[in-house]
Each structure stands twice: as C-alpha cells, then as structure tokens.
Amino acid sequence: MPAGLILQPTYQMRDERPVVQLFGRLVDGRPFLVEDDRFRPYFFLRTRDVGLLGQVPGMTIEANELRDMDGRPVVRVTVPTPGLVATLRDRLAREGVPTYEADVRFAYRYLIDHGIRAAATIEGEEEPREGGLVLFRNPVLRPGVERPELRVLSLDIETSPDASRIYSVAFVGCGVEEAHLVTKREVKSAICHADERRLLEGVVRRVRELDPDVLLGWNVVDFDLRVLARRCSALRVKCQLGQVPGDVRFEQDSTFTRQGRANVPGRMVLDAAGLVRDAIRFEDYRLDTVARALLGRGKLIDTDAPDAAAEIARLYRRDPEALVAYNLEDARLALEIVEQEGLLALTIERSLLSGMQLDRVGASIASFDQIYLPELRRRGVVAPNVDADRSGVTVQGGAVLDSVPGLFRNVAVFDFKSLYPSLIRTFNLDPLAHARARQGDPDVVCAPNGARFSRSDAILPALIDGFVERREAAKARGDRHADQAIKIMMNALFGVLGAPACRFFDPEIANAITTFGQQTLLWTKAAFEAEGFTVLYGDTDSVFVKLTGDDAGPAACEEAQALRAKVEAHVVARVREQYRVEPKLTLELEHVLERFFMPRVRSGLGGSKKRYAGWVDGKLLVVGLESVRRDWPAIARRLQEGILTRVFTDEDPMPFVTEVVRQVRAGELDSELVYAKRIRKGSLDRYTAATPPHVQAARKLGADVGPVIRYVITRQGPEPVLPGRPLPDDVDRAHYVDKVLRPIADAILPALGRSFDEATGEPRQLSLL
C-alpha cells in the first residue's frame, strides 16, 4: 500500500463543489496528489438555534449526541461550499448566535476528521499523470509513519541594483548545480539565454523538470520569488513552478513578524533564513554572517567592495564567470546550512507531530487545534470558534524573585524540567477539565487563582504524557530532531492557552498555570532557605542559590545535587499533601556557576531581573544583557563580553575598556555600530505618537523598507544602512561612547569599585551616596 508525506493540503472548487487536494511525496520517490470530492464543509450550531439558519440550498442538518463545552446539545450543519460556512458563521455572529468549529480551514478539517497529521497510507487506484505525478481519486486514507526522502532545490537570483532586471538564477540540489545567465556569449559554467524573457522561461521549465518538494533559499519568499514573479508578469511569462498549473501566490502574516509565504501548487517554499532564525541565535541573519559562523566560509563577493549591489552589476558586465560562481555559492550556502544543522529534518518532525504543512509548523495555535480537536470530539464535545473580538484580558506571568546584586562565586542554578507542562499534568489544567468543573463536577482541583478543574476528565495531561514518552524514546534512539520537535510542542502549550487568538483561551486557565508556577517557585525558595542557603534570584522555573564554599569543583556539585534532592522531596510532599494529586515535578541541577554577576537596576540600588551573567566550564553565559540583544549594535557585545570575561578570570578590565573607547573614537570599529531593529507595528504609518530612530531611518528608505531596519546614528540623526553599502561619513561616534559604551561599562565596573570615566581618563564625579 503506498505511503508518503503530505506536503500541501488545500482544496479547489470544481463544478461548484470543493475538491480536497493533498500534494506530497511517496516513500518510493514519486510525487502524488490525492483528490477527494466526497468531503463536505460543516460546522456546529446549538440545537435551540437551528431555526435561525433560514433556508440555504444544499444545506443539511444532522442531530447527534455532541455537545458544546458547557454541555448544551448541538447539531451538525453541512453546506455545499467552504465559503458558505464563513457566510453563515458571520451572519449568525452579527445576530449574537455562536457557532462551533466554523473557522477550521477546510483542508485541515479533512485531515483532522481522518486522523492524519502529515504521514498517510493511501489505498486506491493509481492514475499516472504528466511529470511522474501519481493521482489518487477518492482513496481510503489512514494515518502513516513513513518519512520519504524529500527533494530540495536551493534557488538564488542576482539582479540589477533596483531589481528591475534579473541577471542570473542559480539552482543547487536535486542532483544539479547550475546557473542560468542572461548573455549573448558563451560563459563557462553557465546555461546562457539570449535575453531575460528566455531566461525566465528556462528557469520555470527547469524547476518543473527537477521536481523539488521544497524550494529553498535565503529570503527566498520576500526577494527571489517575488522578483521572479514580478519579472515574469512584466515579460508575460507564466510563472508556473508547481506540480499542476497555477501561478505563485504570496501571503504575509499580519503579526509583527510580517513573515511572507509563497504558495506554489504541490511544493513547499521554505526560507532558510527563517529556519535558522527559529533555531539558532545570531547577531544578524545575513547569509554571509550565518555561513561564516556555521560553515567557515561566506559569500564570494569582494569584501572590500563599498557597494555590494554595484559590485554585482560590475561582475555582470565585466566578469560574468565570477558572477556565476557567486550566484551558485549563495544557493550552495543556503542548502548546506540547512543540511548541516538538520533544520529541514527538524521541520519535518514538527510537521509529523502537529499535522501542519512545513511552512506553517511555527503556527502553534493551529498546531494545537490539530492535536486537541480530535480528542475533544472523541469525548462528544465540539469546540468554540476563535473569539476575534476578545480584548482587555490579562494573563499573569511567571514569578520573578527579587535579586541580590553583585559578584558571587559558586552559584548553583536549579530549574524545574518543563515546568508548565508538568503543572498541567499534575493538576489536570485543561480546557475540558475546566468546563466539567463549571458544570458541577464535585471532585475538583482548585488553583491559587480560584479556577477549578475536574480531576477525572481532561485531555492535555494524557497528551503530554504521550509526548514525554515519545521524547524519551527519541532520546534513547539518538533522534535529536524528534526530541527537539516534541520539546518545542510541549513548551508551546502554555503560550497557546495564554493567547487570545486560541479558541480555547480562558484567562482563568492561563492564570491557573502561572499562579501554580508562582506558588511552586515560592515554595522552592522557602525550601532552600529552610536548608540554610541564600537564594540570589529566581525566575519562573529557575532558582539561583549561593553554595557554602567559594571553591568550584566536584565538592560543589555534590553539595548542589544533595540539596536538589532534599528540596524536590520537600516541594513534592507539599503539593501531594495540599492538593491530593501525584506531582509530576522534577527539579534539576542545570549547572554550578564558578562566577555569577547580577547587575543593579539602572539609577537604583536594587538588583536587576532577567539580566545576569555567569562563568561555567570556561565559558561565558549571558542572559538578557545588551550583548545578547539583537537591537543593540555589535560593539555592545564586544565591550560587555570583554569586561565580563576579564572580571570572571580575575583580570583587570580597565585597559580593555580604554582601548575599545579609543578604537570607537578613531573610527576603527564603525562596522560594529549598526543598530538592527524590527518594525513591530507592521506598518510605518502606525507610528504616530512617537517616531523612534529605526522608524526615522526606515522612512528614508521608502519602498525598500523591510521588517528589520539596520541604521546608524549620525550627527544629523538616524540613517539607514543597506547590506553591502558603505556607512554614512558622519557617524556620531560620541553617541556610541556615551549612549552605548558608558551604560554597559557602568553596569559592571562599580562592582569592582571602578568606573567608565576612570577608564576614559575623564574626571570622576563625586557620588552623593
């Protein structure tokens, strides 16, 4: 029986009826398309509201045993088209009548009802189609477990500086490395096309011939494919890159990420930069930066060229062989980064776990629906629609303990393993359990915020138990991608339940999780203190404890492990006694920091929160400080990490600080002065009350503005910086000394009795404190 991986669930209207289409790759290597015209869109309505539907052609109403989460009976309303579901849903909503599950995407509804995540077995007659595609009409689908080898093609294009012309297109993957170039002469290592129109026709044809499952590239959606589609439109070339006819369609998230997606029939388009951004932290996510860090090599363009775009144009005119090599290397780098870091494998595992297509595995709320809705239906319950108008609700955060500022030796860091999932498992924190308690279940767990949960009827605890078992099995077999995928899914559960965009959002549930977490952290602090130890800081699931001695080594670790066991036993016993539940809480020793630094709050005496640094196993650990924040320039990392490393290794940091200041003033570190900040409001027009520096810089870019703005402060104000372009001549280096270097240094040096003014040779101001 054929088995494969579903890459793209969608549907098409044909003869006024919806046809589910599932594109994918079979284990034997053939591409497939499932078409099913039997499935009909539906939603649920309270039985008492049936009379409000009116007469709708083709509509059927089916009585059943299902109920909403408040126990009220519902009927199933089936209609001819998915669009009609939305029409009825919106009309009834305007009349104040709720509908249920009327906002689940039609193709995903099909998968949910068939119990399929991403892998499936297909029982039905095969119909060979053009290009090797295998068509299955109305087959029998069952959940599968197979992971076929996907065909991945990395795409990169090079254009004129204003992207009004395409010079060349490179492909790497699917067994080829080739570059297509617009030229009327022969160029070594290139497939030559006499003009741009012929290049576009050749490129479109070649994608179909190579038949990739995944089109990959660095910013491939927002640059390469958009430019390709725009030039195809301008030159009247059909940009049909898919398994079946259909142009490339673009979507963009309305959230602050402004993430773009490209819809190519039968293929997935994945942005390699986005895959890296979700998995690995870098100062910036330019291809050259990431490639040099991960692969040890970067782009082939002349690094001394003041203007990368102009250099590309020069290469096209005078050295097309070099342009072809540059183009191919960009495509090669993107593919090698993804392969080396296992990012596609991780994405596939997340798809298999959640059922979401590869370019939507980060959609945690939709993923939650795929997992939770089938379990809810098995219990005879239907889910509400998302309340798009929900606002003004508050979800509490985790507990953050007051910190003790200063420099310390031998600090043990303890944390609870998967705290929020563990609390959900321990206390039955679940939407259905909450609903059952509202309906009068007498045997309940009462959370610190007053929310009540049935002890006997819940979904999430069992789901998480399953995830835990699967994760342990993945670890045992050395499958790091499955391990990571499950970890991501488990950690997203609280975020989903705490998000108003989730259909199961209820502030009582979300706050029950966080208040149980706050209580657990406070009980843990009290347990450490009862053992005679000082708690220096605590945040959500972590506690920092000063050990008795100052000498790091095996003795410190032994002391910490013994302490861990005592405190865990104390907390578990307290939970068991107070709530009559079996705790699923595990306290772990994360590490023993040889040195630990907690800064003071700026302009105050108290300790900071969510900002600290430590030294462990000869490495610097930094959390929340400027050196790990993406919106601070690179010079912040140079100074802060340099000072901390010297302090933690008992070296005088003052000469280093003095030298960094000298280099900045002399213009020797200008490349490290660039800020990078995201346009979080989605549009520059939304910044009306105030205009922060990155928005001022963005407005100077006009139509070229992207989601992340790179800029420097000049004597005239913020100026945008484009990759590969030279910095403005009048960088305000005094700004960086006073507004970047000074606050960073003065957050650390006073703990040594020193100051930034002392390092720069400036007169030291007398303190009134």
Side-chain angles (χ1 to χ4, degrees), residues 146 259 409 417 588 658:
E146 301 290 350
Q259 179 181 353
R409 294 181 183 270
K417 181 179 179 181
E588 298 180 317
T658 300

Side-chain angles (χ1 to χ4, degrees), residues 361-426:
V361 294
S364 54
I365 291 174
S367 298
F368 187 86
D369 278 354
Q370 294 291 108
I371 295 169
Y372 198 89
L373 288 179
E375 297 298 327
L376 193 65
R377 183 71 62 82
R378 289 189 184 98
R379 290 160 174 79
V381 179
V382 299
N385 296 339
V386 175
D387 184 354
D389 297 325
R390 185 187 289 128
S391 61
V393 292
T394 301
V395 176
Q396 298 181 37
V400 181
L401 305 180
D402 291 336
S403 66
V404 180
L407 278 166
F408 303 90
R409 294 181 183 270
N410 261 23
V411 174
V413 183
F414 303 90
D415 63 15
F416 282 97
K417 181 179 179 181
S418 302
L419 177 62
Y420 285 165
S422 297
L423 293 172
I424 290 171
R425 296 168 68 203
T426 297

